[in-house]
């Protein structure tokens, strides 16, 4: 089956059919823990076009991460159908790059060895010299120069996040799933990362599903922002972001259009956040 | 990069510790010597006598005896540890098989290994072989249980992260499972070293022509207190050396871990 295909993934942008990369058809998910049945995601239908940057915002515990885990194939829907590139997903989805909220760096590998990990796999077979070059460029891009030989235990939380980000971006997967990737970063660094991410995803026409708490970040980066309701989550509003691309992530937030979108989405979000906090 | 880490105690401190330890050793030896001289030393011998005896042995085959014991230990460890590690890795990855085999392994483990010594001597004779097997048996289980636990303890999220990146089952094993289990394997080896010593010497005590254990047995048979203590001193020295080496190896292999503990 194609999902189990481990042949080299193309580095170049995937075929530019303007089709849906990811589609959820009435997908829901609930968990049963020690006999207690907890719905995490209400029946949700959404489609993410090839090359789109879509953000999910919503209160804590609203099922944002559940959506990512479903698309990654780490969870299977309790009901409904999830298709990837038109085919129902079964098993792990190896065509996505997933930057989880918890960093999954290999603790026995240094910064550079962690970032190199995806390139070393046989399914990519990148020559050693090219690996070294790309790792060096990526380390510069995420501002980790000087920490190449450090082990994860010797890095701060924000630095580990950046290593995880670099590891996810370096192999340029056709679809990126990112779960609050910049939560631990300071404001300036966050903007630099936004700029990097935008450049790369635009250049490679990557499809991105991005989870965040930060509404401004979501608007600045996305083609569409989905506001989710408090648990059990459902999509309360889908807002297309018409800001022209390429965007100047440093200035975009001062445009009147941005202000208007922020205002409107915040109206949607604030009730849900209030509901979500008593969890 | 190593010097940036705080795993080594600062130089001055280590020096002071060493001095204090030497002082304690000297006090103990002097106390033993003077107590023995004052109250008689038929049962306790004297450090000076032991030193003289060690000198005599050194000139007449102590090296050969030590080599025999060390060979039994390293041979047995190589055999027992490697098979324990391999079985631990295999069963750690195949849960169904491990569930089936577990009672057998636990059953075997509950036999005190040393009690197998007479049987092994009957099977393999008086040379090094029964001791090597005894060492192998007593270290096999330690390494098996540790490796198995290590594989079980590996963070599933790490495995899944690598799988999503496109790792094949083989790569998954080589890049996550094995390095993840190394910490457990190393700590198993550290525990196994003293067990290996005990097994080898016990085997030699029961029946052997060579080895430190045979020196011990011969001295005991002749009520030779000085010989007994001298053999124990040799064992202590070898054991301490082996533990120090194991600690070194551990520190290097696990240099990625935070320096705590």
């Amino acid at each position: 089956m194609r999902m189990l295909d481990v042949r080299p993934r193309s580095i170049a942008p995937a075929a530019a059919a303007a089709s849906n990369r990811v589609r959820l058809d009435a997908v829901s998910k609930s968990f049963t823990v020690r006999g207690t049945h907890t719905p995490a995601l209400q029946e949700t239908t959404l489609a993410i076009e090839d090359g789109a940057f879509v953000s999910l915002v919503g209160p804590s515990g609203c099922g944002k991460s559940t959506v990512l885990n479903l698309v990654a194939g780490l969870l299977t829907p309790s009901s409904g159908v999830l298709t990837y590139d038109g085919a129902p997903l079964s098993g792990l989805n190896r065509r996505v790059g997933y930057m989880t909220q918890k960093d999954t760096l290999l603790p026995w590998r240094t910064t550079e060895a962690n970032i190199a990990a995806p390139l070393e796999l046989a399914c990519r077979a990148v020559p050693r010299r090219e690996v070294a070059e790309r790792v060096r460029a990526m380390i510069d891009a995420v501002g980790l120069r000087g920490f190449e030989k450090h082990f994860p235990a010797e890095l701060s939380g924000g630095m580990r996040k950046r290593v995880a980000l670099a590891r996810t971006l370096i192999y340029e997967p056709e679809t990126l799933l990112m779960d609050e990737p910049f939560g631990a970063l300071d404001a300036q660094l966050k903007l630099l990362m936004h700029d990097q991410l935008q450049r790369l995803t635009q250049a490679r026409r990557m499809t991105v599903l991005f989870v965040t708490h930060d509404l401004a970040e979501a608007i600045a980066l996305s083609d569409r922002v989905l506001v989710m309701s408090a648990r059990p989550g459902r999509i309360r509003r889908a807002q297309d972001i018409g800001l022209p691309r390429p965007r100047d992530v440093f200035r975009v937030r001062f445009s009147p259009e941005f202000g208007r979108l922020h205002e409107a989405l915040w109206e949607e979000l604030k009730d849900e956040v209030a509901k979500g906090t008593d969890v | 990069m190593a010097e940036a880490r705080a795993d080594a105690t600062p130089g001055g401190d280590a020096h002071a510790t060493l001095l204090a330890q030497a002082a304690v050793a000297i006090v103990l030896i002097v106390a033993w010597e003077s107590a023995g001289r004052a109250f008689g030393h038929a049962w306790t011998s004297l450090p000076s006598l032991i030193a003289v005896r060690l000198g005599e042995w050194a000139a007449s085959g102590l090296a050969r005896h030590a080599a025999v014991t060390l060979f039994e230990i390293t041979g047995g460890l190589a055999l027992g540890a490697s098979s324990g590690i391999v079985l631990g890795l295999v069963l750690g990855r195949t849960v169904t098989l491990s569930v089936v085999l577990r009672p057998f392994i636990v059953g075997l483990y509950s036999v005190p290994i040393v009690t197998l010594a007479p049987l092994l001597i009957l099977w393999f004779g008086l040379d090094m072989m029964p001791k090597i097997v005894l060492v192998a048996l007593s270290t096999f289980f330690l390494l098996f249980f540790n490796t198995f636990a290590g594989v079980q303890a590996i963070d599933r999220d790490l495995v899944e992260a690598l799988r999503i990146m496109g790792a094949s089952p083989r790569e998954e094993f080589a890049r996550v499972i094995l390095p993840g289990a190394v910490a457990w394997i190393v700590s198993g080896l550290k525990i196994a070293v003293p067990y290996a010593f005990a097994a080898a010497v016990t085997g030699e005590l029961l029946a052997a022509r060579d080895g430190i254990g045979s020196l011990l047995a011969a001295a005991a048979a002749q009520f030779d207190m000085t010989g007994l203590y001298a053999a124990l001193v040799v064992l202590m020295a070898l054991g301490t050396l082996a533990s120090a080496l194991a600690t070194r190896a551990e520190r290097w292999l696990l240099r990625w871990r935070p320096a705590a503990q």
Side-chain angles (χ1 to χ4, degrees):
Chain A
M1 244 201 84
R2 74 198 299 191
M3 288 313 150
L4 300 171
D5 195 346
V6 284
R7 277 173 309 172
R9 247 169 280 183
S10 60
I11 304 292
S19 55
N20 290 329
R21 181 66 82 192
V22 180
R23 216 187 134 72
L24 277 71
D25 260 313
V27 166
S28 76
K29 181 71 192 174
S30 47
F31 298 97
T32 307
V33 181
R34 281 186 284 277
T36 321
H37 189 77
T38 317
L41 185 67
Q42 290 186 51
E43 275 195 12
T44 297
T45 298
L46 75 95
I48 300 166
E49 310 80 45
D50 188 11
F53 196 121
V54 175
S55 289
L56 287 169
V57 294
S60 305
C62 72
K64 303 185 296 274
S65 303
T66 306
V67 174
L68 293 194
N69 283 332
L70 286 164
V71 177
L74 292 169
L75 296 175
T76 46
S78 303
S79 71
V81 182
L82 194 157
T83 55
Y84 188 89
D85 259 359
L89 188 63
S90 72
L92 273 191
N93 187 351
R94 310 183 110 185
R95 293 164 66 189
V96 302
Y98 190 2
M99 184 180 166
T100 49
Q101 205 171 0
K102 173 189 156 197
D103 76 64
T104 53
L105 301 176
L106 300 175
W108 48 85
R109 282 188 169 225
T110 60
T111 297
E112 56 183 8
N114 259 300
I115 295 173
L119 299 183
E120 289 169 3
L121 299 176
C123 63
R124 280 185 201 91
V126 180
R128 201 176 273 250
R129 264 199 50 199
E130 195 195 322
V131 171
E133 272 166 31
R134 282 168 70 178
V135 167
R136 202 167 336 110
M138 197 42 97
I139 282 176
D140 284 346
V142 297
L144 282 172
R145 196 185 286 186
F147 296 94
E148 293 91 339
K149 307 280 184 202
H150 284 58
F151 290 102
E154 300 164 330
L155 299 173
S156 71
M159 287 169 142
R160 282 202 296 273
K161 279 272 179 195
R162 278 183 276 158
V163 178
L165 176 69
R167 186 182 70 172
T168 313
L169 294 180
I170 198 165
Y171 67 104
E172 298 175 358
E174 61 182 24
T175 299
L176 272 179
L177 308 176
M178 311 182 91
D179 198 345
E180 293 182 39
F182 307 132
L185 303 186
D186 63 66
Q188 289 82 357
L189 193 58
K190 210 178 202 183
L191 285 177
L192 291 174
M193 291 291 114
H194 289 168
D195 192 43
Q196 286 285 344
L197 182 64
Q198 184 191 227
R199 275 169 211 277
L200 190 75
T201 53
Q202 290 292 308
R204 300 290 180 198
R205 293 211 57 229
M206 290 166 152
T207 308
V208 187
L209 189 51
F210 190 93
V211 163
T212 180
H213 275 119
D214 180 345
L215 188 52
E217 172 178 82
I219 298 169
L221 292 170
S222 309
D223 300 312
R224 193 168 350 120
V225 174
L226 306 175
V227 179
M228 292 186 70
S229 70
R231 184 159 55 188
R234 66 183 170 78
I235 292 168
R236 187 181 156 132
R237 172 163 177 180
Q239 173 67 54
D240 285 322
I241 308 295
L243 300 165
R245 293 208 186 259
R247 293 177 195 160
D248 180 343
V249 295
F250 306 99
R251 295 224 174 71
V252 70
R253 41 198 87 205
F254 304 119
S255 77
E257 172 72 355
F258 186 96
R260 204 182 51 73
L261 286 165
H262 195 283
E263 181 92 35
L265 287 170
W266 176 245
E267 279 304 313
E268 293 284 338
L269 193 55
K270 71 168 199 259
D271 310 339
E272 299 302 336
V273 172
K275 277 188 244 164
T277 44
D278 57 38
V279 193
Chain B
M1 63 188 227
E3 67 273 10
R5 247 159 270 139
D7 52 6
T9 26
D13 244 9
H15 233 89
T17 310
L18 211 65
L19 266 171
Q21 285 164 342
V24 171
I26 289 168
V27 167
L28 285 176
I29 290 169
V30 168
W32 184 358
E33 182 79 28
S34 37
R37 281 176 193 265
F39 308 114
H41 50 77
W43 299 100
T44 57
S45 190
L46 288 176
S48 54
L49 294 176
I50 295 165
V52 170
R53 178 66 61 87
L54 284 172
E56 288 166 18
W57 280 0
S60 71
L62 177 62
R64 184 173 49 85
H65 287 294
V68 165
T69 302
L70 287 177
F71 184 84
E72 290 161 0
I73 289 167
T74 46
L77 260 175
L79 221 70
S82 60
S83 45
I85 291 167
V86 169
L87 194 70
L89 288 173
V90 170
L91 290 195
R93 296 275 281 160
T94 48
V95 181
T96 29
L97 192 59
S98 70
V99 170
V100 173
L101 292 183
R102 196 162 181 86
F104 296 95
I105 294 166
V106 172
L108 281 175
Y109 183 55
S110 54
V111 178
I113 304 293
V114 182
T115 59
L116 294 175
L119 183 67
L120 295 173
I121 288 164
L122 291 176
W123 279 1
F124 297 109
L126 298 176
D127 286 331
M128 289 193 274
M129 202 53 191
K131 290 86 174 181
I132 291 175
V133 175
L134 201 61
V135 172
L137 281 173
S138 54
T139 55
F140 166 82
F141 290 102
L142 288 171
L143 267 297
F144 167 73
F145 284 117
N146 258 49
T147 310
F148 185 83
V151 173
Q152 299 293 306
I154 281 162
D155 188 347
R156 295 297 308 161
D157 295 343
L158 296 188
V159 179
E160 275 167 353
L162 234 77
R163 243 187 246 169
I164 287 181
M165 281 178 213
S168 65
R170 240 189 59 215
E171 287 170 326
E172 189 185 309
F173 178 80
R175 277 150 213 270
V176 188
I177 310 284
L178 194 57
V182 161
W184 294 72
I185 293 174
V186 170
S187 76
L189 279 172
K190 257 186 89 177
I191 303 167
V193 167
Y195 276 80
F197 266 86
V201 175
T202 308
E204 289 171 352
L205 273 176
L206 290 175
R209 287 183 284 262
D210 303 298
I212 309 294
S214 73
L215 288 178
L216 205 59
Q222 296 160 23
F223 286 99
D224 172 10
M225 288 303 155
T226 303
L228 262 172
Y229 285 113
L232 289 177
V233 167
V234 173
L235 281 174
M236 200 167 71
L238 291 178
T240 311
L241 195 71
S243 291
L245 282 176
T247 306
R248 274 276 174 97
E250 179 187 35
R251 203 173 289 169
W252 186 78
L253 278 166
L254 303 183
R255 62 198 178 284
W256 49 271
R257 284 215 295 208
Q261 286 163 23

